[in-house]
Amino acid sequence: MRKLLSFCILFYAAWIYALPANAQQQVLLSNGSLQLSWANQNGQWHVKNISVKDKDRWEELPHVSGEYTLLYAKEKPGNIPVTLYNKTGQAIIFPEPQYRYIIPLWEAALQPVPMNTAGEAIHFYPSAVRKAPGELTFTAENEKAVITSQWRLDETFGGDVLVEISLEAKQEGYYSLATPTLATVAEKELAWAGIPGYFQSNTIEKDFIKAYGYMQGIPDKPVIVRERTAATLSPFISTKNKLTIAVIPAPGTGRDPWETDAKTQNSWQLGLSLMNRKAALTPTLYHPVLGEKGSFLKKNDTVTFSFRYTLQPAGWYTVFKHAVNDVYHFNDFLALKKTRQSLSSRILSMHQYLVDTKTSLWNIENYKGLDIGAQSYLGGVYGSQKDAMKNSDYGAMWMLAAVTGDSVLQRTRLPYARNFKLQQQDTQPGFFYGAAAGQYYLSKSKRFTEEWGPYVEPIGVTYYMMMDIGNMLLFHPGDTALRKELKLAADRLLAWMNKEGKWAVGYDHAAAKELFTDIEDLRPTFYGLLIAWKILKEEKYLAAAKRGADWYIREAVAKGHFLGVCGDTRFAPDFATGQSAQALLDLYDVTKERRYLQAAISTAQLYTTSIYTHPVPSARSKMVNGVPRQDWEISQAGLSFEHGGILGSANHRGPILLASHAGMFVRMFMLTGDSLFLNMARAGALGRDAFVDSATSVASYYWDVMNKGAGPYPHHAWWQVGWITDYLLSEAEMRSAGKVKFPGGFITPKVGPHQTYGFTPGMVYGTPAGLLLKEGLLKTDNPYLDYYCAINPKEQKLFLLLLNDDDDPLKTTLQLDYDKVVSGRKIKPVHCYRISANGTKETIDNGSAFGVAIPTYGLQVIAINYEYATE
């Protein structure tokens, strides 16, 4: 009887699980973090309740739904863009005709599929459910398809619901599955929403161009964006009661930008949105994308879509990191990386490239009786006849000359680059007096010009006058001509600032009339005044810098609204966002006012959404320009884009290899302990050999160029010297807990937040020392060993700063050439000792060969007391 009773109980339980929908009234998925219940309403299964555990209480999501959406089109959707109209009914012309690079992108983004008007939208609820232990299976059927969805809670992450939807076509045509609407968020309940790489804001923006084109606010239409510039595949929405809901596709759902042997960046397999088709706020994914790969089905064909919902009592950044680290396993990337050339070696090789007049395309032209020098720029420039010249990173130029002691740089580059800067300022009395005449010099027409039109930007004054001049003055503070130029620029910037603390985006050069009045200068223009205060010490500049920063925090950081600095994309948001984080951090270092520190951290967190975290890198074999590569070698994961969103270059070109943010991210890790900053810095900086030209050690700029070198941008090598140095010295400071520290100078113009060094000594475990780096000074056959050197000539001490940039312990032998330490003098060691990262000292044998053993991502310093050898 006992066995019979047990059998009956089991049979009854199984029968209950298998009951059809009309025999049950409610089903439930529940664990200690999450509860979801569905109720049968007239034969349809609606979500009844969603509750999220917040410490010791349960929070309910309002506006629950459970509605499914299927898009169907018998014919492939069209590609005619919609026309946008202003309030008076006139067609809006955007962008203007001269912005030829972004017009096709904008028109493509206005086509029916991305505007989410294509096809027939079929909305429905499941009509049946079956229960199994820990799992619910819903089914629905209409004249187009049979849809089955399986739901279960993730056993590892309690706030995650794993869903797999399968569709079987009943008619031939194009199909797209949307993730069901778990719950919607009312606009008044919105705290923050975003699709990394596209949108980030706390408001719905009615100005469609501002939201859709400039990422300033959430569009008020249910647009569907592509995965190619979605840096992390996770739309998310946070409510004012501190609940965040996100939807994350299973890895592999989105496009692979290089599937086998060619670029497949333009494939579209996953759509992302912050609204459902009915324009209600809810994170939504679409797969396949209507009319794109995999969406055409014949009768009885099937398609499957796997994803997860994440619901947490936390802010957006916590949920974003969950998608990055736990779902897309970003942290695992570093274990795959293999390095063939150290970053230190790259700096030294680029040094040789930069002093070679032919390879670096160095030119000297006479302008107004003065010889000025710069490198050729073969990209697009307003009015150029392929005669444009430009210098990119004055801080890196002066730094490399200082740390190498190279006479070629000191005699044949720096004086002419300085002349270029002196002539770059507008010195004609009037509205533009003290401003930059333009980024570029055109040798044939003998004039300076801006990149994309005859206009002048206030941020151009910050960039090309104040940042560059400021960095030069750090090395030569007594240069009165440069100090005068800096003051003229500072006063011009101050004169253009309004009472609120903001600037115009730009002014027409001929009419002195404000341009681009449809957008605001949401860029770190205020930073120029901080430079002026640091150099000139006039309090009016610091007061104005604070006023500008306060406006920027209120209007940019707090709202997630930013503007870019690239004229060819009409200032679509770009790497200036990362630059803003360092600008605010520098202001905090001066004022010690915590609002600037918090704003810097918040901006850096926002900038992590500009770093690719997909596809998941692997060791899968691919062919790249005839060379076998493993997938991780050419991975986009860990790279930032020049500009993303609808209008950015990342749409076609992919991200860039210029990791200017790496050092800043290390500094943010030191401040916050947030490992995402450190892992992103390392993922962008290390193991990128597949993009480095073997002949010059210059990395390509755009991802899709792979390893073709500088191409039309030879000046980029200076930026690479700058960001690599900033990264290595930031790692040394972090790994030594601040015991190895060198003062950072001012940010470089345009491309990001990296700083210059070498203008004054730093400290190495209590001893002042100046930076030193020379070709042949150190030799090692281990590419994971990065290094810089430092020297105190007065105390006759030499330091070798050694970094293991690998996730395995490092053992190697290092060879030191004493003849290359001090130019024109021979030295010999008197006493050598090893300093571990924690400062422990150990005496070692004098000599020129040193055995080195450094733990994973560790630091070791070899200190050498020396004396001058007698002849």
Side-chain angles (χ1 to χ4, degrees):
M1 287 296 295
R2 186 178 298 168
K3 289 183 178 179
L4 179 61
L5 182 60
S6 298
F7 174 78
C8 290
I9 292 172
L10 290 171
F11 177 81
Y12 177 74
W15 177 71
I16 288 292
Y17 276 126
L19 277 175
N22 56 11
Q24 302 178 68
Q25 296 305 311
Q26 185 168 315
V27 292
L28 177 72
L29 289 175
S30 178
N31 59 23
S33 302
L34 195 59
Q35 294 178 353
L36 289 88
S37 65
W38 287 258
N40 189 332
Q41 299 180 19
N42 301 319
Q44 295 183 328
W45 287 92
H46 294 241
V47 172
K48 180 183 179 182
N49 175 269
I50 301 174
S51 296
V52 181
K53 187 71 171 291
D54 183 6
K55 297 177 183 175
D56 58 350
R57 60 192 177 90
W58 290 89
E59 290 281 352
E60 290 189 12
L61 262 71
H63 320 302
V64 295
S65 171
E67 186 177 57
Y68 289 62
T69 299
L70 169 66
L71 304 183
Y72 172 80
K74 185 173 181 60
E75 305 293 335
K76 187 173 183 178
N79 58 6
I80 298 176
V82 302
T83 301
L84 302 178
Y85 297 93
N86 61 21
K87 294 179 181 179
T88 63
Q90 294 178 311
I92 298 173
I93 298 175
F94 176 87
E96 295 87 342
Q98 65 266 34
Y99 296 101
R100 61 180 185 270
Y101 294 155
I102 62 173
I103 289 174
L105 291 169
W106 181 246
E107 291 179 345
L110 295 178
Q111 292 175 5
V113 171
M115 290 297 289
N116 206 357
T117 59
E120 173 189 0
I122 303 168
H123 306 291
F124 60 93
Y125 292 88
S127 57
V129 62
R130 301 182 75 86
K131 294 177 64 177
E135 184 175 285
L136 297 175
T137 301
F138 295 93
T139 57
E141 184 173 358
N142 54 46
E143 63 178 7
K144 298 294 191 301
V146 178
I147 297 95
T148 304
S149 62
Q150 295 178 327
W151 297 63
R152 59 187 175 88
L153 299 180
D154 192 307
E155 295 179 358
T156 304
F157 304 106
D160 286 13
V161 187
L162 304 178
V163 184
E164 181 177 278
I165 299 183
S166 297
L167 178 150
E168 182 179 352
K170 295 171 68 175
Q171 296 182 20
E172 183 178 283
Y174 293 87
Y175 291 82
S176 180
L177 283 165
T179 53
T181 299
L182 275 188
T184 61
V185 176
E187 185 175 351
K188 65 181 181 180
E189 298 165 351
L190 174 64
W192 199 263
I195 298 175
Y198 280 100
F199 309 120
Q200 52 187 22
S201 187
N202 56 3
T203 58
I204 305 296
E205 175 56 61
K206 307 303 180 184
D207 184 329
F208 186 66
I209 292 175
K210 187 173 289 186
Y212 198 38
Y214 284 97
M215 313 181 204
Q216 295 175 11
I218 307 304
D220 63 350
K221 295 177 174 57
V223 292
I224 304 174
V225 298
R226 307 174 72 114
E227 72 269 53
R228 66 186 180 190
T229 57
T232 294
L233 302 179
S234 179
F236 55 79
I237 297 175
S238 296
T239 66
K240 288 180 179 176
N241 63 342
K242 299 181 180 179
L243 294 178
T244 298
I245 178 172
V247 60
I248 310 167
T253 307
R255 64 92 182 89
D256 184 330
W258 195 285
E259 287 185 9
T260 53
D261 59 359
K263 182 172 74 169
T264 46
Q265 177 79 349
N266 288 331
S267 295
W268 192 7
Q269 297 175 200
L270 178 73
L272 304 93
S273 184
L274 288 170
M275 294 180 176
N276 60 22
R277 178 74 171 228
K278 295 179 178 180
L281 271 174
T282 185
T284 307
L285 300 173
Y286 292 85
H287 176 76
V289 177
L290 201 66
E292 300 293 330
K293 179 181 178 180
S295 67
F296 179 75
L297 302 178
K298 294 182 178 180
K299 185 177 180 179
N300 299 325
D301 282 353
T302 61
V303 65
T304 301
F305 181 18
S306 297
F307 55 91
R308 70 177 64 210
Y309 297 101
T310 291
L311 301 101
Q312 293 190 35
W316 72 269
Y317 187 62
T318 297
V319 173
F320 163 73
K321 289 200 294 182
H322 169 57
V324 172
N325 292 327
D326 301 326
V327 181
Y328 276 76
H329 303 287
F330 185 77
N331 292 347
D332 297 344
F333 182 25
L334 290 170
L336 283 174
K337 283 179 171 282
K338 295 179 176 62
T339 294
R340 292 188 295 273
Q341 183 183 15
S342 71
L343 293 173
S344 303
S345 172
R346 278 191 58 199
I347 292 174
L348 291 166
S349 295
M350 285 190 286
H351 174 207
Q352 299 306 312
Y353 164 82
L354 287 163
V355 296
D356 185 316
T357 300
K358 184 176 180 181
T359 59
S360 64
L361 303 184
W362 176 255
N363 307 283
I364 293 179
E365 295 285 340
N366 190 272
Y367 177 71
K368 295 183 178 180
L370 193 66
D371 286 339
I372 62 174
Q375 291 170 269
S376 295
Y377 180 89
L378 303 179
V381 175
Y382 176 79
S384 171
Q385 303 174 56
K386 298 298 181 183
D387 61 335
M389 297 163 51
K390 178 179 181 177
N391 292 313
S392 62
D393 192 337
Y394 274 75
M397 295 174 76
W398 263 250
M399 174 182 70
L400 193 63
V403 302
T404 62
D406 181 17
S407 61
V408 175
L409 285 175
Q410 292 170 348
R411 289 186 292 102
T412 71
R413 294 293 189 272
L414 302 195
Y416 301 104
R418 175 182 175 275
N419 288 349
F420 186 96
K421 189 59 57 179
L422 289 172
Q423 296 300 310
Q424 198 173 7
Q425 189 169 46
D426 191 324
T427 55
Q428 295 298 314
F431 188 74
F432 296 104
Y433 181 56
Q439 290 183 60
Y440 303 88
Y441 177 72
L442 304 181
S443 60
K444 292 180 180 179
S445 53
K446 293 190 177 299
R447 61 188 175 92
F448 285 89
T449 188
E450 196 40 70
E451 182 177 22
W452 217 248
Y455 54 79
V456 177
E457 299 171 70
I459 199 169
V461 181
T462 290
Y463 279 171
Y464 307 112
M465 294 289 97
M466 309 183 79
M467 286 185 180
D468 284 339
I469 295 169
N471 275 323
M472 286 190 283
L473 285 170
L474 291 176
F475 290 89
H476 300 288
D479 191 324
T480 55
L482 288 177
R483 290 178 70 89
K484 178 183 177 182
E485 192 171 41
L486 179 68
K487 181 168 178 53
L488 288 178
D491 290 341
R492 171 47 50 204
L493 199 60
L494 198 58
W496 278 347
M497 182 190 226
N498 78 0
K499 292 181 180 179
E500 292 181 83
K502 70 174 181 177
W503 287 268
V505 173
Y507 296 100
D508 178 84
H509 198 272
K513 181 180 178 181
E514 185 175 345
L515 297 174
F516 310 108
T517 55
D518 56 320
I519 49 180
E520 291 187 296
D521 185 43
L522 299 163
R523 305 179 289 193
T525 306
F526 66 87
Y527 186 70
L529 295 170
L530 179 61
I531 295 171
W533 178 82
K534 283 190 171 184
I535 298 292
L536 303 173
K537 297 300 182 184
E538 294 186 35
E539 289 300 321
K540 65 179 181 179
Y541 298 132
L542 181 58
K546 291 173 62 177
R547 188 164 75 251
D550 290 341
W551 179 87
Y552 185 81
I553 292 168
R554 185 172 64 251
E555 300 299 326
V557 180
K559 298 178 180 179
H561 293 189
F562 298 98
L563 197 70
V565 294
C566 294
D568 53 356
T569 58
R570 206 182 184 274
F571 316 115
D574 57 22
F575 29 46
T577 301
Q579 189 177 67
S580 301
Q582 186 63 53
L584 290 163
L585 191 58
D586 284 1
L587 187 57
Y588 166 73
D589 287 340
V590 167
T591 66
K592 301 304 178 186
E593 296 181 29
R594 290 195 63 82
R595 69 182 183 276
Y596 299 128
L597 174 61
Q598 187 53 56
I601 294 170
S602 296
T603 307
Q605 289 175 340
L606 288 170
Y607 194 64
T608 63
T609 67
S610 294
I611 312 299
Y612 279 95
T613 61
H614 71 98
V616 177
S618 72
R620 188 162 65 89
S621 180
K622 296 182 175 182
M623 190 65 68
V624 180
N625 299 329
V627 178
R629 299 280 191 193
Q630 291 188 350
D631 171 73
W632 67 264
E633 293 184 82
I634 60 168
S635 174
Q636 293 190 353
L639 299 178
S640 64
F641 44 60
E642 180 182 41
H643 17 65
I646 295 299
L647 301 177
S649 62
N651 281 278
H652 297 317
R653 308 303 304 270
I656 58 174
L657 278 297
L658 196 63
S660 178
H661 62 277
M664 183 268 287
F665 272 8
V666 175
R667 290 187 281 279
M668 286 296 165
F669 171 74
M670 285 189 276
L671 285 169
T672 65
D674 182 351
S675 62
L676 182 62
F677 287 125
L678 186 58
N679 289 331
M680 282 188 164
R682 291 172 174 173
L686 305 175
R688 294 295 179 177
D689 304 86
F691 299 94
V692 176
D693 174 37
S694 59
T696 64
S697 293
V698 181
S700 297
Y701 183 55
Y702 292 114
W703 168 86
D704 68 338
V705 176
M706 296 294 166
N707 65 340
K708 292 185 179 179
Y713 316 116
H715 61 286
H716 282 208
W718 284 116
W719 274 324
Q720 292 176 37
V721 168
W723 81 253
I724 291 173
T725 295
D726 186 32
Y727 167 69
L728 292 178
L729 295 181
S730 298
E731 283 272 13
E733 180 180 350
M734 184 271 294
R735 297 182 197 184
S736 67
K739 299 299 184 182
V740 176
K741 181 177 176 59
F742 294 88
F746 302 122
I747 306 170
T748 192
K750 195 168 187 176
V751 299
H754 73 257
Q755 301 173 309
T756 193
Y757 296 84
F759 54 90
T760 193
M763 297 293 289
V764 181
Y765 291 100
T767 299
L771 287 169
L772 177 69
L773 193 67
K774 291 186 177 182
E775 184 72 39
L777 179 62
L778 297 182
K779 291 182 180 178
T780 177
D781 59 1
N782 193 313
Y784 297 99
L785 182 65
D786 275 309
Y787 60 86
Y788 242 93
C789 301
I791 191 168
N792 183 323
K794 184 177 180 180
E795 297 184 23
Q796 296 180 192
K797 290 184 177 180
L798 173 67
F799 299 95
L800 315 181
L801 316 176
L802 310 177
L803 301 164
N804 175 13
D805 278 331
D806 191 22
D807 60 348
D808 288 322
L810 178 149
K811 283 190 176 183
T812 190
T813 299
L814 185 67
Q815 195 77 29
L816 169 63
D817 187 344
Y818 286 99
D819 291 346
K820 288 188 165 66
V821 174
V822 180
S823 297
R825 300 288 302 271
K826 292 182 179 295
I827 67 170
K828 62 181 181 180
V830 175
H831 178 62
C832 300
Y833 52 97
R834 181 181 289 115
I835 309 175
S836 62
N838 64 9
T840 304
K841 296 182 180 180
E842 174 193 1
T843 299
I844 57 178
D845 293 338
N846 294 346
S848 59
F850 302 96
V852 176
I854 309 176
T856 298
Y857 291 115
L859 169 75
Q860 187 177 106
V861 174
I862 294 177
I864 302 166
N865 293 336
Y866 65 85
E867 64 181 13
Y868 291 103
T870 56
E871 297 296 336

